[in-house]
Amino acid sequence: MFERPKSGQQAVLVHLELPGADYASDRQEFIELAHAAGASVLSVIGGSRRQPDPGLFVGSGKAEEVAASVAEQQAELAIFNHDLSPSQERNLERLLKCRVVGRGGLILDIFAQRARSHEGKLQVELAQLQHMSTRLVRGWTHLERQRGGGIGLRGPGETQLELDRRMIRDRIATLKRHLEAVRGRRAENRRARQRNETPVVSLVGYTNAGKSSLFNALTADDSFASRQLFATLDTTIRKLSLPTVDQAVLADTVGFIRDLPHDLVAAFRATLEEAREADLLLHVIDVSDPERMARVEQVNEVLEAIGADTVPTLQVFNKIDLQPDRLPGIERDAQGRPHRVSVSALSVTGIGALREAIAERLTPDSHQAFSLRVPARAGRLRAQLFAHRAVRAEVLDDQGAFQLQVEMDYPRLRGLCEAAGVTPPPAPGEVEDWEREGVK
């Protein structure tokens, strides 16, 4: 056993090529992650295996090579670009005589540095504690000692390990209560937007695809944006100005990445729900990235994991300034609906076309004409219909009610009427059915 060092940034990186992985792109992303965490990379040790070794992940021969590199360069930690089990981390630390960090721990460390808001810090702390709770038995010799001695403390006592576990369990329970309250506030805000019929557009995408820069270009905001992994973590919501849509909001969410730790996804549930509850997702894709299609699949996997895979999506090919042969504009699907928009958030090229595409995707196809009687008491419903630009004609009858000719999609019209306590017009086809049955 050894006493783990409490600090240190001098790192040896270990990256194995496993079946089905792209070695070059994964290796480069791994190095960028290490730099983002503040590590000084001394060397990168590569290799390949058909499957991970149960005890050391890399196998005994490769582990000895890593140990020699750590000793020669006096590295303070070894970072593996793979998820390691607690026993693998423990075995590697015994052999390498330095701290060992897996991919999940590395990403958690970056999130801990980036979190700025109170909510973000709570989410990261929860993820870290959940990650740590399975990894307490390590090289810390004090964890085996019993708490005892002194008046009132003699007897079998409680081991330090048990104390640490209990303290972590208590803190996790407290954090979950706080985050559940945060989740409740977010849900109430979403309900308020739904009552006001405010459509929500949410940005999603692989980290460093340019989401925050696009957010700033669409909202004229000055939120922090930088060309680095996980530049921003905290969800930001701003008003979004669109043609033909009176009001809408845009939400910028945390970036995704391959093998995003499950603890992190669970902790950021309240934040990620902004994507799941959105009316439209803007999937931002770095068009200059040669691995962009693999990134798209990885983002889609995370969206499926959080239940957002059924939300309508508009792809945004960003950074076309890095590809001179790609022109800004809208690409449409077989039904003529906007499917993809090419833009440059940095030079604000194609942003107007993107606004038009968003507005078109938020406008339902099934607009139909209906006659509706709105009593004087339901003035809010009348105002909402005018806000939706759905009123085509209006006449005031003898009872002071408004006879309206409206044009909009039926499900939304029925929902507005029911919320206002007004009888909605018959659904399309209902009148014909009644006449067919002889009902006048």
Side-chain angles (χ1 to χ4, degrees), residues 112-289:
Q113 295 180 48
R114 299 281 195 266
R116 293 291 179 268
S117 70
H118 177 63
E119 177 189 353
K121 291 176 180 178
L122 289 178
Q123 290 170 321
V124 172
E125 184 183 354
L126 174 59
Q128 286 182 314
L129 289 176
Q130 289 173 327
H131 182 78
M132 185 189 304
S133 64
T134 62
R135 290 162 165 78
L136 277 176
V137 183
R138 283 282 193 63
W140 290 288
T141 55
H142 77 279
L143 291 181
E144 302 302 327
R145 300 174 192 150
Q146 282 194 329
R147 175 173 166 266
I151 297 174
L153 295 176
R154 294 185 177 89
E158 188 174 19
T159 67
Q160 185 65 45
L161 176 59
E162 291 167 344
L163 279 172
D164 287 351
R165 281 178 172 163
R166 180 160 55 81
M167 290 173 65
I168 286 178
R169 284 197 303 269
D170 292 345
R171 181 58 179 165
I172 286 176
T174 300
L175 289 171
K176 285 184 175 180
R177 286 196 299 271
H178 289 327
L179 287 173
E180 198 60 35
V182 170
R183 185 169 179 243
R185 289 194 295 271
R186 282 190 178 277
E188 180 56 38
N189 290 338
R190 281 195 296 271
R191 285 193 292 269
R193 292 195 294 266
Q194 291 168 354
R195 285 194 297 268
N196 294 329
E197 294 294 319
T198 302
V200 178
V201 182
S202 185
L203 291 168
V204 297
Y206 208 79
T207 182
N208 206 24
K211 292 189 299 84
S212 295
S213 296
L214 185 63
F215 180 86
N216 292 341
L218 284 169
T219 63
D221 196 57
D222 58 354
S223 298
F224 177 72
S226 176
R227 189 176 176 80
Q228 61 179 356
L229 301 179
F230 304 116
T232 54
L233 295 184
D234 302 316
T235 297
T236 307
I237 297 178
R238 295 288 184 272
K239 290 183 178 179
L240 176 62
S241 176
L242 297 172
T244 72
V245 177
D246 287 322
Q247 54 181 352
V249 295
L250 181 66
D252 185 15
T253 59
V254 62
F256 300 157
I257 197 169
R258 178 180 63 84
D259 298 332
L260 197 63
H262 295 298
D263 291 335
L264 204 55
V265 173
F268 274 73
R269 182 180 59 165
T271 298
L272 295 174
E273 280 180 353
E274 293 294 346
R276 192 178 69 188
E277 301 296 332
D279 296 284
L280 177 68
L281 297 181
L282 298 187
H283 184 167
V284 185
I285 302 164
D286 180 357
V287 72
S288 67
D289 185 355

Side-chain angles (χ1 to χ4, degrees), residues 74-105:
Q74 297 183 331
E76 297 159 310
L77 71 158
I79 306 176
F80 286 69
N81 191 25
H82 311 277
D83 288 325
L84 303 175
S85 69
S87 62
Q88 288 170 338
E89 287 190 14
R90 183 166 62 250
N91 294 338
L92 286 166
E93 287 190 342
R94 287 170 177 162
L95 178 63
L96 305 182
K97 300 296 189 293
C98 71
R99 287 189 300 130
V100 171
V101 178
R103 181 182 174 87

Side-chain angles (χ1 to χ4, degrees), residues 209-218 284 316-321 343-351:
K211 292 189 299 84
S212 295
S213 296
L214 185 63
F215 180 86
N216 292 341
L218 284 169
V284 185
V316 182
F317 271 6
N318 189 27
K319 303 185 183 181
I320 62 171
D321 52 298
V343 305
S344 169
L346 186 63
S347 62
V348 201
T349 303
I351 298 301

